[in-house]
């Protein structure tokens, strides 16, 4: 079953997104003032790339900006950041006030309601002094001892950015696949953790989207990889213990206006 889906988690990262939107509003409001100060926005050069899709041609003048290894892309981004900082300089006090107010409204000690799957109660909690989620479960009853299956705070140590793009647990409760993004590029590495031993296997699958579905044999998993534009587009099949280079392609979405996601039905039949 192929399903399109969206996820949203209210966190510090999302507060920063909100602040970015507020910043844009401020920029428009301050354009006249800063124009007088001769602050000019950087202009990206046009470099046309032609795409042929579905019998039609499409021109993209700014496709070159998609290459993160291009030094001119980095230079342009730095110029954009400098422009924003200059435009927003006089609003820094207001930005801090808004940020502090929104952070203050976040529930510091939070625990989600548990949901039962295959004999375990799964839930997520946040500790007061921790930035990231702690994923937990309890066997059979909610009064059972807690098992931490993933402490994102520990995984994030040593990384400037750490995002879990997706997780999926096998029906026998023994394996968890998870997508680790340490660059913010949405090109995640997929890892497999043995929930009985706590060890993570040596199998690593790069450039995945974080969309998974385990087969009922508990050792086969279906996952989605990205194309060059970071569009989830190809469904692959992996068997635990096998070399990921030998994984089988199941389906490829060739229409660039669509993305691919895989999800298991609640009855686990499909």
């Amino acid at each position: 079953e192929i399903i399109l889906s969206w996820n949203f988690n209210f966190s510090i990262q999302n507060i920063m997104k909100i602040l970015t939107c507020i910043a844009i509003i401020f920029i428009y409001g301050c354009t006249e003032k800063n124009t007088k100060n001769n602050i000019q926005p950087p202009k990206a050069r046009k470099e046309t790339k032609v795409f042929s899709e579905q019998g039609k041609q499409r021109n993209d003048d700014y496709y070159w900006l998609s290459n993160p290894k291009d030094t001119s892309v980095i230079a342009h981004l730095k110029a954009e950041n400098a422009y924003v900082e200059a435009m927003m300089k006089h609003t820094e006090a207001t930005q801090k006030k808004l940020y502090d107010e929104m952070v203050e409204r976040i529930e510091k000690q939070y625990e989600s309601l548990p949901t039962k799957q295959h004999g375990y109660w799964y839930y997520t909690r946040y500790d007061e002094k921790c930035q990231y989620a702690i994923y937990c479960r309890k066997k059979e009853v909610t009064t059972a001892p807690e098992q931490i299956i993933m402490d994102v705070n520990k995984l994030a140590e040593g990384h400037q950015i750490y995002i879990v793009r997706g997780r999926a647990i096998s029906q026998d409760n023994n394996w968890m696949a998870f997508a680790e993004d340490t660059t913010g590029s949405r090109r995640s590495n997929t890892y497999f953790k043995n929930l009985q031993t706590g060890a993570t296997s040596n199998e690593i699958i790069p450039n995945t989207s974080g969309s998974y579905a385990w087969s009922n044999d508990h050792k086969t998993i279906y996952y989605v990889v990205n194309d060059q534009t970071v569009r989830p587009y190809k469904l692959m099949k992996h068997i635990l213990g096998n070399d990921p280079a030998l994984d089988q392609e199941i389906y490829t979405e060739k229409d660039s206006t669509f993305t691919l996601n895989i999800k298991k039905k609640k009855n686990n039949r499909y």
Side-chain angles (χ1 to χ4, degrees):
E1 165 179 42
I2 308 301
I3 300 175
L4 297 176
S5 65
W6 291 83
N7 284 323
F8 180 81
N9 293 315
F10 191 69
S11 62
I12 296 295
Q13 290 92 335
N14 286 315
I15 284 180
M16 296 307 297
K17 293 178 182 178
I18 294 171
L19 286 176
T20 300
C21 294
I22 294 174
I24 292 173
I25 295 173
F26 272 113
I27 287 174
Y28 278 108
C30 302
T31 299
E32 183 177 351
K33 177 179 179 179
N34 286 288
T35 299
K36 294 178 181 179
N37 294 332
N38 200 30
I39 300 175
Q40 299 298 323
K43 287 187 176 181
R45 73 174 188 271
K46 290 186 177 182
E47 190 175 296
T48 304
K49 182 177 178 63
V50 180
F51 293 89
S52 297
E53 298 168 326
Q54 302 177 25
K56 295 183 179 180
Q57 285 193 341
R58 174 175 63 87
N59 294 341
D60 188 343
D61 293 335
Y62 303 102
Y63 182 80
W64 65 274
L65 284 168
S66 65
N67 183 7
K69 296 181 180 180
D70 188 339
T71 56
S72 59
V73 172
I74 304 303
H76 179 76
L77 291 177
K78 287 181 177 179
E80 289 279 6
N81 289 338
Y83 171 71
V84 171
E85 288 179 7
M87 291 286 286
M88 298 293 293
K89 185 68 178 177
H90 66 289
T91 69
E92 287 180 349
T94 304
Q95 291 180 54
K96 186 177 186 309
K97 181 180 178 181
L98 289 170
Y99 176 82
D100 291 344
E101 182 177 336
M102 283 186 279
V103 169
E104 189 63 31
R105 292 173 182 268
I106 296 177
E107 192 174 353
K108 303 298 187 299
Q109 199 79 20
Y110 170 79
E111 184 174 307
S112 68
L113 291 173
T115 58
K116 196 171 188 179
Q117 298 176 23
H118 314 304
Y120 279 85
W121 290 95
Y122 290 88
Y123 59 98
T124 304
R125 61 179 176 85
Y126 288 83
D127 285 346
E128 184 172 353
K129 295 183 179 180
C130 296
Q131 180 178 0
Y132 296 97
I134 302 172
Y135 297 104
C136 312
R137 70 180 183 179
K138 294 180 179 180
K139 191 172 183 178
E140 297 297 345
V141 293
T142 55
T143 55
E146 177 183 83
Q147 178 190 2
I148 296 176
I149 59 176
M150 176 184 281
D151 186 343
V152 184
N153 299 282
K154 292 182 178 179
L155 294 173
E157 291 177 359
H159 297 285
Q160 186 175 3
I161 297 173
Y162 195 94
I163 304 170
V164 178
R165 293 290 181 186
R167 299 177 300 119
I169 297 175
S170 60
Q171 275 185 260
D172 63 357
N173 302 306
N174 290 334
W175 288 95
M176 177 177 66
F178 66 95
E180 177 188 84
D181 181 356
T182 57
T183 64
S185 66
R186 293 183 287 120
R187 299 183 184 276
S188 304
N189 287 333
T190 289
Y191 296 89
F192 300 97
K193 182 177 181 179
N194 187 317
L195 297 181
Q196 301 304 316
T197 65
T200 301
S201 74
N202 294 325
E203 299 162 52
I204 303 174
I205 306 176
N207 193 30
T208 58
S209 69
S211 178
Y212 307 112
W214 284 94
S215 177
N216 291 347
D217 65 1
H218 318 310
K219 63 180 182 179
T220 302
I221 188 169
Y222 297 89
Y223 63 93
V224 179
V225 297
N226 303 309
D227 67 6
Q228 71 275 11
T229 64
V230 203
R231 176 180 67 96
Y233 83 116
K234 185 181 292 184
L235 181 65
M236 303 291 291
K237 174 184 176 181
H238 175 72
I239 299 175
L240 288 179
N242 287 3
D243 184 349
L246 303 177
D247 287 356
Q248 179 184 353
E249 178 182 332
I250 302 299
Y251 174 78
T252 298
E253 177 53 70
K254 297 180 180 180
D255 189 336
S256 62
T257 62
F258 285 86
T259 59
L260 192 64
N261 190 11
I262 184 168
K263 187 176 181 180
K264 206 165 187 180
K265 297 284 286 186
K266 286 187 176 180
N267 63 13
N268 294 305
R269 294 179 61 188
Y270 304 99

